[in-house]
Amino acid sequence: MPRAAPQLWDRPRLLGSPLGSAPGAPGSAPGIRDRREDRREDRSRDQRRRFGIGPRFWDRPQVPAAMTPYRQELEKYRDIDEDKILRELSPEELAQLDAELAEMDPENVLLPAGLRQRDQTQKSPTGPLDREALLQHLERQALEAEERHDLVPFTGEKKGKPFVPKEVAPALPGEEQVTLEPELEEALANATDAEMCDIAAILGMYTLMSNKQYYDAICSGNICNTEGINSVVQPDRYRPVPDEPPNPTDVAETLQRLQDNDPGLQDVNLNNIKDVPVPTLEAICQAIQANTHVRSLSLVATRSNDLVANAVAEMLEQNRSLQSLNLESNFITSAGMMRVLGAVGQCPSLTELRVDNQCQRLGDTVEMAMAATLERCPSLLRLGYTFTLQGPRARAAAALTRNNELRRQQKKS
């Protein structure tokens, strides 16, 4: 029985000419594949030779084996005449072959829709778009379509709880007519807004007024509300607080009295005197060295610097009567503060030291030195400074507690 001719999809793909070439030809796919494999094997052999690697088992000379089925299948088409095959194809088969060979990319979204795939429309165009005719056709098609039957037929049965509207709240009664005595009617009719506000406060109607109006009416025996109940709440008007008067201390006179060891001068207060020269402050500290009556020295905000701090340290080393020293809000650095802390231990009468709010941060070393000074000096009972580290703060608090307890026991005994 004669063998049937191969179908179009069973025939080999032609690649050489405009529609391809037969396998085995110079431009065919198997020939190109063979040359690529040969070049790949040559490169692999050169690399193994360069790195001293022996030949692989498939590179060793082998005994010629039988041809693979794929090679045998290709051998049938080696000497085929592609021109003869093309002449025998019908126009429909040529169009189908052309469509198969067309390079289309359906995944490329950058191409228009008409270039992503071949045109498969077989119908001829029907003319321009008629919107009204299209809508009538869709309407007619929808009416002619059969309705889908429900899976559960509708019976009209109500399920669940029926809706019960909420009861309307009863209307509030209108304003009741209250009859008062004629004297009260006349008094209320002639009362001013301020008097009505006081009456509402006395009756406890605090929601009709502000807190200030309510408490003013209760706490005062006179009528304090002059704005009425419906007045706008206004803030309290505070009196302007004047600045503190300047320090009246005469610096030259104070210095002279210190040098004379005046027994009437026990507190030296030079706070907020900003025009005191540094040599004058040094002279005051030098005069207190031998003074036996001064109990307190305050140099707050006098622009004292490290020179004054050194003079204060020398004063503490010599004086034995000073009990309170205040150097807050000045320009003393960490070096000057370390000098003062080193001399505090040599003044056994000192019980209070205030050195907070300097122009710059004193640092961790100074804070540790403060804690050590409090632990070393049991006579120091109060320290004015804001610690920034937890460790020195805890040590200073424990030392102050211990010093005060020791002083309490001394007074008790």
Side-chain angles (χ1 to χ4, degrees):
M1 185 175 182
R3 184 177 179 182
Q7 300 295 330
L8 176 62
W9 48 82
D10 295 332
R11 298 174 184 176
R13 185 179 294 270
L14 308 179
L15 300 172
S17 60
L19 293 177
S21 61
S28 62
I32 295 174
R33 190 182 298 109
D34 294 341
R35 288 195 295 274
R36 289 177 179 173
E37 292 177 356
D38 294 341
R39 287 196 295 270
R40 192 180 299 111
E41 291 177 359
D42 294 341
R43 286 196 300 270
S44 177
R45 192 179 301 109
D46 294 341
Q47 292 177 358
R48 291 196 303 273
R49 187 183 302 113
R50 186 182 308 159
F51 294 104
I53 302 174
R56 296 172 294 185
F57 69 92
W58 55 79
D59 294 332
R60 299 170 185 172
Q62 299 177 358
V63 179
M67 190 175 296
T68 61
Y70 178 70
R71 292 284 185 177
Q72 292 177 0
E73 186 69 20
L74 292 179
E75 286 295 330
K76 297 190 300 182
Y77 305 105
R78 185 173 296 277
D79 299 328
I80 194 171
D81 188 1
E82 62 271 11
D83 295 334
K84 180 181 178 182
I85 294 176
L86 291 175
R87 284 195 300 269
E88 294 176 355
L89 293 178
S90 62
E92 292 79 5
E93 292 175 340
L94 287 174
Q96 186 178 358
L97 179 62
D98 228 357
E100 291 290 340
L101 296 178
E103 294 183 0
M104 295 293 179
D105 189 3
E107 303 295 335
N108 191 356
V109 296
L110 300 179
L111 290 176
L115 299 181
R116 297 182 200 170
Q117 58 184 359
R118 61 180 181 275
D119 188 9
Q120 301 178 5
T121 306
Q122 302 295 335
K123 295 173 59 176
S124 58
T126 57
L129 173 65
D130 188 356
R131 185 175 181 276
E132 295 297 332
L134 178 60
L135 292 177
Q136 293 176 4
H137 170 72
L138 295 176
E139 232 176 86
R140 185 172 57 257
Q141 188 178 11
L143 294 175
E144 292 175 355
E146 296 182 0
E147 294 185 359
R148 187 180 61 181
H149 297 286
D150 294 335
L151 298 178
V152 180
F154 176 73
T155 59
E157 179 185 0
K158 294 183 179 180
K159 297 183 178 180
K161 297 181 180 180
F163 172 73
V164 178
K166 296 182 179 180
E167 297 181 0
V168 181
L172 298 175
E175 297 182 359
E176 299 180 358
Q177 298 294 331
V178 180
T179 304
L180 301 176
E181 296 181 2
E183 294 82 3
L184 294 177
E185 288 282 357
E186 184 180 359
L188 292 177
N190 298 329
T192 61
D193 291 343
E195 294 173 346
M196 293 295 293
C197 187
D198 278 9
I199 293 173
I202 294 172
L203 295 177
M205 301 178 182
Y206 55 87
T207 58
L208 300 178
M209 62 199 72
S210 64
N211 291 338
K212 182 177 182 302
Q213 293 174 340
Y214 178 72
Y215 288 110
D216 287 346
I218 291 179
C219 300
S220 177
N222 301 324
I223 297 178
C224 301
N225 300 315
T226 59
E227 300 174 355
I229 295 178
N230 298 323
S231 61
V232 179
V233 179
Q234 297 182 357
D236 295 335
R237 297 180 180 179
Y238 295 98
R239 299 177 182 177
V241 180
D243 296 336
E244 294 183 1
N247 194 337
T249 304
D250 189 352
V251 180
E253 181 184 356
T254 302
L255 177 58
Q256 184 63 36
R257 295 177 63 183
L258 289 173
Q259 292 175 351
D260 296 340
N261 198 7
D262 187 359
L265 183 60
Q266 296 184 357
D267 297 332
V268 178
N269 186 352
L270 303 180
N271 295 345
N272 302 318
I273 302 180
K274 303 185 183 301
D275 55 351
V276 181
V278 173
T280 304
L281 295 176
E282 293 178 347
I284 290 175
C285 295
Q286 186 176 2
I288 298 177
Q289 291 182 10
N291 193 291
T292 58
H293 301 287
V294 175
R295 298 291 183 266
S296 173
L297 175 62
S298 182
L299 301 178
V300 178
T302 55
R303 298 185 180 181
S304 300
N305 51 16
D306 288 349
L307 297 177
V308 180
N310 294 331
V312 170
E314 295 176 358
M315 174 194 69
L316 293 176
E317 292 174 354
Q318 301 294 331
N319 189 276
R320 295 296 179 266
S321 62
L322 189 66
Q323 298 179 359
S324 176
L325 176 63
N326 194 343
L327 299 175
E328 293 179 345
S329 304
N330 282 306
F331 297 88
I332 301 176
T333 62
S334 58
M337 192 59 63
M338 290 293 292
R339 181 74 175 87
V340 173
L341 293 175
V344 167
Q346 302 181 24
C347 184
S349 61
L350 188 65
T351 60
E352 182 180 5
L353 176 64
R354 298 184 178 276
V355 292
D356 200 7
N357 192 29
Q358 300 301 323
C359 66
Q360 63 182 8
R361 183 173 178 269
L362 296 180
D364 305 342
T365 306
V366 176
E367 293 187 2
M368 297 295 291
M370 287 182 185
T373 302
L374 290 174
E375 294 173 348
R376 189 175 61 252
C377 302
S379 61
L380 200 57
L381 305 179
R382 290 182 294 275
L383 176 67
Y385 181 75
T386 303
F387 287 90
T388 58
L389 295 179
Q390 180 64 26
R393 184 189 300 115
R395 289 179 54 189
L400 288 175
T401 303
R402 185 201 61 186
N403 295 346
N404 283 275
E405 182 65 19
L406 291 176
R407 178 61 60 90
R408 186 187 67 82
Q409 293 177 2
Q410 291 176 0
K411 289 182 178 180
K412 186 177 180 180
S413 61

